[in-house]
Amino acid sequence: GSWKKFLKAHWNTLFSMDYATIDTLFGKRLYLLLIMQLHARKIVACKLTQYPCREFVRQQIIDFSEEFPKSYLIHDNDSQFTSINYFDYGINGVTTCVASHNMNVYIERFIGTIRREALDNFLVISEKQVKNIIENYVRYYNNQRPHQGLNRIPENPILEKTGRINK
């Protein structure tokens, strides 16, 4: 019905946003704000902070809106997300229903993927280490990782699975 028509007309302008939490070995909690372009499954923004306040989110929205004006940004009911007037920045904020993770499924899936494929393989000690892991993984995810929902085709050639390690 009308939802399918909306998706077809706006698929290239749909984005998803959410936070992932990352705890270090020493009990420090970090927050990773992610924004994904849905039609390409591409992470277009990922910012790490210790303080996930409204102003932090607002600045990321400003940066996002400059690159992707007239977009739809799907987000959950976190107060940092719902207290922002997205129209002020030329984009449409779309709030999901409370406790409905399946309404923001692509970004939720990515959070699970980055945990399983990257973060769970390290003893996380510092913010610098987390930033390095995330930057490298997002680069890999956006450019080389096969995406099943996109016919397993990344933008760049897939890296070889075998090779020689030089001493």
Side-chain angles (χ1 to χ4, degrees):
S2 62
W3 180 245
K4 287 183 182 181
K5 287 179 185 176
F6 174 84
L7 276 178
K8 188 174 182 181
H10 298 285
W11 185 232
N12 292 338
T13 62
L14 286 176
F15 293 80
S16 183
M17 172 173 66
D18 203 0
Y19 270 118
T21 58
I22 303 162
D23 294 319
T24 69
L25 195 59
F26 303 112
K28 185 177 185 181
R29 178 160 280 182
L30 303 170
Y31 298 85
L32 177 64
L33 180 70
L34 297 158
I35 301 177
M36 175 187 276
Q37 187 174 32
L38 296 184
H39 86 275
R41 309 294 195 281
K42 186 175 184 176
I43 302 301
V44 297
C46 62
K47 298 291 181 172
L48 197 62
T49 185
Q50 279 186 279
Y51 309 103
C53 63
R54 179 186 182 279
E55 282 306 306
F56 172 77
V57 174
R58 191 177 74 77
Q59 185 58 54
Q60 305 320 307
I61 298 300
I62 291 169
D63 295 346
F64 169 79
S65 67
E66 290 172 359
E67 190 173 348
F68 301 101
K70 299 180 182 174
S71 298
Y72 293 84
L73 187 55
I74 302 166
H75 58 83
D76 61 24
N77 286 281
D78 281 345
S79 61
Q80 298 96 338
F81 300 151
T82 58
S83 64
I84 295 171
N85 185 353
Y86 294 87
F87 291 114
D88 289 348
Y89 308 104
I91 58 177
N92 296 289
V94 180
T95 307
T96 62
C97 295
V98 176
S100 297
H101 299 289
N102 60 342
M103 292 185 77
N104 211 357
V105 70
Y106 295 113
I107 198 74
E108 296 289 349
R109 173 66 188 225
F110 176 77
I111 291 168
T113 298
I114 198 170
R115 285 190 196 289
R116 283 186 307 279
E117 294 184 9
L119 294 167
D120 287 353
N121 295 302
F122 296 91
L123 291 175
V124 178
I125 297 170
S126 69
E127 186 172 343
K128 183 179 176 183
Q129 178 195 22
V130 171
K131 203 175 274 190
N132 186 39
I133 293 167
I134 289 167
E135 286 173 2
N136 283 297
Y137 185 79
V138 167
R139 191 176 312 112
Y140 161 73
Y141 182 86
N142 283 345
N143 298 311
Q144 282 134 355
R145 185 182 186 278
H147 297 281
Q148 190 172 22
L150 301 175
N151 297 323
R152 302 184 57 80
I153 301 171
E155 291 180 10
N156 295 317
I158 298 171
L159 297 174
E160 292 293 323
K161 293 182 181 179
T162 60
R164 185 171 165 229
I165 299 173
N166 295 323
K167 291 183 180 183

